[in-house]
Amino acid sequence: MVAQIHCAFIRFHNRVVGDLINKGVSSAVLFETARETVVKHYQWMLRHDFLPRIVDPGIVEEVFTKGRKFFEPAPGEHDFPTMPIEFSVAAYRLGHSMVRGAYNWNRIFDNGGGTLPLLFRFTGTSGILSPPPADAGDPEAGTFERLPTNWIADFRRLFDFRAAGRDDPGVPAEKFNVAKRIDTQLVNPLADLPLGSFGGRGGPAPAAIELNLAFRNLTRANMMSLATGQQMAKRLGVKPLLPSDFENGGGAQLSEPLRKKLAEHCPLWFYILREAEANGSGRLTGVGGRIVAEVFHRAMEGSRYSIVRDPFWRPFLSPVAERHAKHVFEMTDLMLYAFQERADLLNPLGE
């Protein structure tokens, strides 16, 4: 899934290059001109489309208009942005909660046929490419060296082009894939990861609990002595979750002793998911929202080309006329531009 999105970004870059060549841009400045255009459009999409979908928009707006308070708030001119472990080991693992157990992937793996175990299997580093394997945990055990054509994504099912004003590449609502809400629940297949997904091949088989993604996240945080959610709430000066916020319902079902422990010393990853669950929005807020928004802001600020340092820059590549005029550039605009607005390129397998 990720690799095919990467291919889409490569197509986006290459079309920018092609358009610049057609406009007569000198080869001496071609690459850097393309790089600036691509990076700034990408950052604009993150700032105005992606982040407000996963983080409380109020927090995003505050950070991007008033600046950061906690994460590298006053870096030196030549300091490179870093990635704090509170982000990498906890907050940005929000995506694990958003994964579906099955997808309407394309016309072949339709109606939930694109199951998560199959998607793992057909990923070289997380499974194998040709069943049955000699070693189920060895991604090199298969004989295929590239993704079978029947697993090419139908991007029309993954991005809502109708919301971007384009019915042509759109699909009926029942074929569209919507991410799971951010909460304290993970789909069942993530409790049984393939060995290749964490380099577990060879040696004795691990205990069943070690195949559970939630267990691995919590163990990783413990190994790194990560702060608890309550400690981070105090550090960031945000309102902490109340004991009542750990009551049963909606998410993980907790025993009374565990609930009392979590109300005082909650692992940061679980705490951040519970924040999103408790506020009812399904978006990060409080501790999680602040961490993610500030880390993204710092990464953009420290980039060679930056919309943070160039606040008057506006996007100009949306193929949809009314969105172009209003300087709208979301992921659907990026995909439409990258794939030349052609439904057959967004969905090579056809109907």
Side-chain angles (χ1 to χ4, degrees):
M1 300 171 88
V2 175
Q4 294 192 59
I5 298 296
H6 283 189
C7 285
F9 285 131
I10 291 170
R11 290 186 71 116
F12 175 60
H13 168 271
N14 289 351
R15 184 167 182 202
V16 170
V17 170
D19 285 352
L20 289 173
I21 291 173
N22 291 337
K23 293 177 181 177
V25 173
S26 166
S27 60
V29 297
L30 177 62
F31 178 76
E32 283 303 318
T33 304
R35 183 178 189 176
E36 179 176 7
T37 300
V38 168
V39 168
K40 286 184 174 178
H41 277 83
Y42 175 63
Q43 291 178 355
W44 187 275
M45 179 274 292
L46 294 178
R47 160 66 180 91
H48 294 279
D49 184 20
F50 177 65
L51 282 177
R53 293 178 187 270
I54 64 169
V55 176
D56 178 346
I59 295 177
V60 176
E61 186 67 21
E62 179 184 343
V63 170
F64 277 84
T65 56
K66 298 181 181 179
R68 303 180 306 280
K69 295 180 180 179
F70 303 99
F71 176 57
E72 300 183 359
E77 182 181 356
H78 301 292
D79 289 345
F80 287 101
T82 61
M83 183 184 293
I85 57 174
E86 293 82 7
F87 177 88
S88 62
V89 182
Y92 208 57
R93 299 194 181 201
L94 63 97
H96 296 164
S97 171
M98 301 170 71
V99 175
R100 300 187 65 85
Y103 294 83
N104 304 319
W105 189 246
N106 55 33
R107 69 175 175 84
I108 299 170
F109 295 92
D110 200 2
N111 301 317
T115 65
L116 198 54
L118 282 177
L119 284 162
F120 268 121
R121 165 165 273 185
F122 284 92
T123 301
T125 56
S126 295
I128 51 95
L129 288 177
S130 54
D135 178 356
D138 183 359
E140 302 301 324
T143 56
F144 297 168
E145 293 190 353
R146 58 182 63 188
L147 189 72
T149 54
N150 61 358
W151 277 101
I152 295 175
D154 179 354
F155 283 122
R156 306 170 312 150
R157 299 165 180 245
L158 298 175
F159 299 100
D160 191 359
F161 295 103
R162 290 186 172 183
R166 294 294 300 269
D167 290 337
D168 176 32
V171 294
E174 65 270 16
K175 300 296 184 183
F176 191 68
N177 298 281
V178 179
K180 293 285 189 179
R181 290 171 66 86
I182 300 175
D183 55 27
T184 55
Q185 300 185 82
L186 274 63
V187 294
N188 286 336
L190 294 180
D192 189 24
L193 296 174
L195 298 181
S197 65
F198 53 87
R201 61 186 182 275
I209 188 64
E210 294 182 21
L211 303 179
N212 188 305
L213 180 58
F215 173 84
R216 300 189 71 82
N217 285 345
L218 294 168
T219 301
R220 177 69 168 168
N222 190 56
M223 290 169 59
M224 303 190 77
S225 300
L226 205 61
T228 66
Q230 287 84 359
Q231 288 172 323
M232 286 303 299
K234 183 177 181 180
R235 170 73 179 87
L236 302 179
V238 302
K239 182 180 178 181
L241 290 175
L242 302 172
S244 58
D245 291 321
F246 293 95
E247 297 288 337
N248 290 337
Q253 303 300 302
L254 308 173
S255 66
E256 183 64 25
L258 179 56
R259 190 162 61 245
K260 289 182 177 179
K261 287 185 178 180
L262 291 177
E264 296 180 0
H265 307 287
C266 183
L268 184 56
W269 175 63
F270 187 90
Y271 185 95
I272 286 168
L273 297 181
R274 191 59 177 164
E275 283 183 321
E277 189 172 50
N279 75 12
S281 72
R283 292 185 177 97
L284 298 191
T285 188
V287 170
R290 175 62 62 172
I291 292 173
V292 170
E294 291 208 0
V295 171
F296 267 81
H297 182 272
R298 174 67 182 119
M300 292 185 198
E301 177 192 68
S303 173
R304 177 181 300 186
Y305 298 112
S306 170
I307 64 170
V308 172
R309 299 199 318 274
D310 186 4
F312 298 105
W313 183 89
R314 294 295 181 268
F316 50 86
L317 289 180
S318 175
V320 183
E322 56 270 27
R323 293 163 71 84
H324 181 278
K326 295 178 181 179
H327 304 297
V328 174
F329 191 81
E330 298 180 342
M331 188 63 184
T332 48
D333 300 283
L334 188 153
M335 296 293 288
L336 285 170
Y337 180 85
F339 288 87
Q340 302 171 47
E341 305 174 65
R342 289 172 50 182
D344 62 317
L345 294 181
L346 289 162
N347 175 34
L349 295 185
E351 298 294 346

